Amino acid sequence: MKTGKLMLALLGGALLVAHAAAAPINTDTALPVSQGEFLWREQVRFLKAQDSTRDLEVIAVPSVLVYGVTEKFALIGMVPYMDMTLKMAGIERGAAGRGDSMLLGRYQVFQLDRPGETFRAQALGGLKFPTGRDDQGDAFGRLPQPMQLGSGSYDPVVGGIFTWQRLRWQADFDLSYKINTKANGFRFGDTLAHDAAFQYRLSPLTLPEQGVPSFIYGVLELNGRWAERSELHGGKVGDSGGYTLFVSSGLQYVTQRWVAEISVQLPLIQDLNGNQVKTDYVLSAGFRVQF
Amino acid sequence: MNINILTAKLLLTLFSLCLATGMAFGQSGPAKVFIEVKGLACPFCVQGLEKHLKKLDAVAGVRTSLKKGEAVLDLRSGRTVDEKELRQAVKKAGFTAGRIRFEEGPATATAEKSVKGGEK
């Protein structure tokens, strides 16, 4: 089985776990986590991709814990559970278990607060750790690297996040770049993620004079992922890398203590190198709670 | 010991105690504090704000109005809170305190204002 033909698993994996600390559903936010506060987020994400000969399913459950070290600096830890299955020519291959973890720091570099309105910018940096197994195999031998739960590599991430929030709506933008390093003779191509989200308060239509009502937001997002070609023993993998832009719509129920959300992502653009199976959709549901 | 001296000492002690606790003059502190909180625009942000404000010793309760962008603090009887502490608590929650207004509790007699900060 050609390694490159499985590259979507990588793209899918990145899509499934890259933005687990978001305030919109698939986009990061620059909103604060109060000093000394914890935020716990769980999501279930399901990716389906298929063509005439291949059928790929990825389930990811990223668990995220965010801690407000100060009002400006937050630490974000993320550990995903992954389950990947690829069916091709009557053969089924896959892996399930803990994936690679990520530790990120988020620092607020700009804050402008007005009554009922805030504009913030944050810098993001961190490292992906190889906590997922990268040596799994089955009856057909060792699984190709893109089908492994972990990459085996330590990969730095840098980025920036911008948020403009008002009582009626919120807009978020993020941009992040992951520099992938080599492990097991394989180097995944670097990845660039860019997201834009707009969420609008659907309920309540008008706010009461007193109190804090729960909100229902409608969420519309654009989530772009670019990946350069991967390298195997120094040579470029033809069937790897490319660009995908998803449009996402979702709903969020937001209370003071917790948030529940659902989202569906559909591909608008899939410009993938070589012969890669294309994504049909990504579904997600989750909650977050602060304490 | 002379009974008159003993009585006088007892009265003086009681008077001192009353004076110390502010009872003698019906001394009143601010019963409520109104804080304009800038940057507060969603329900999920309110929890951290209220948590930090409730940590202040003088604060008995907090009510927030998202529409007004305002937190109203109920203070414990006879307690006061420093404006600087309030601004720091709002800052720790990740927001910016604007105007802070102190509202005194009911007074039973004229007393020296113990309000720190006053209306800004």
Side-chain angles (χ1 to χ4, degrees), chain A residues 115-116 167 207-211, chain B residues 35-37 65-71:
Chain A
L167 283 167
L207 293 176
E209 289 295 316
Q210 303 297 334
Chain B
I35 307 172
E36 180 190 30
V37 183
S65 165
L66 202 54
K67 184 176 182 180
K68 292 178 181 173
E70 182 182 69

Side-chain angles (χ1 to χ4, degrees), chain B residues 72-91:
Chain B
V72 182
L73 314 187
D74 294 316
L75 299 189
R76 297 184 197 284
S77 179
R79 301 292 296 271
T80 61
V81 63
D82 196 284
E83 184 182 320
K84 194 177 169 186
E85 284 182 274
L86 296 171
R87 292 191 182 278
Q88 190 62 27
V90 173
K91 189 182 173 195

Side-chain angles (χ1 to χ4, degrees), chain A residues 98-117:
Chain A
R98 187 181 63 230
D100 284 347
S101 305
M102 200 174 274
L103 184 64
L104 299 162
R106 205 184 67 172
Y107 186 78
Q108 186 171 276
V109 294
F110 180 77
Q111 174 181 359
L112 177 64
D113 288 339
R114 294 190 179 121
E117 181 179 13

Side-chain angles (χ1 to χ4, degrees), chain B:
Chain B
M1 187 180 289
N2 188 315
I3 190 72
N4 288 336
I5 293 173
L6 187 64
T7 307
K9 279 187 175 175
L10 190 62
L11 284 172
L12 191 63
T13 306
L14 282 171
F15 178 77
S16 301
L17 276 172
C18 289
L19 191 64
T21 56
M23 289 168 62
F25 295 101
Q27 183 180 336
S28 65
K32 284 183 172 34
V33 183
F34 298 80
I35 307 172
E36 180 190 30
V37 183
K38 295 179 180 176
L40 192 65
C42 85
F44 204 54
C45 301
V46 172
Q47 165 136 327
L49 172 73
E50 291 192 347
K51 211 171 186 177
H52 278 284
L53 290 171
K54 282 175 184 170
K55 279 181 186 170
L56 299 173
D57 289 341
V59 175
V62 181
R63 284 164 288 133
T64 304
S65 165
L66 202 54
K67 184 176 182 180
K68 292 178 181 173
E70 182 182 69
V72 182
L73 314 187
D74 294 316
L75 299 189
R76 297 184 197 284
S77 179
R79 301 292 296 271
T80 61
V81 63
D82 196 284
E83 184 182 320
K84 194 177 169 186
E85 284 182 274
L86 296 171
R87 292 191 182 278
Q88 190 62 27
V90 173
K91 189 182 173 195
K92 280 182 180 176
F95 303 98
T96 306
R99 201 170 65 109
I100 297 179
R101 182 165 59 89
F102 293 80
E103 184 179 282
E104 292 198 25
T108 55
T110 304
E112 182 184 352
K113 283 184 182 177
S114 60
V115 177
K116 296 177 185 175
E119 187 170 333
K120 299 285 173 186

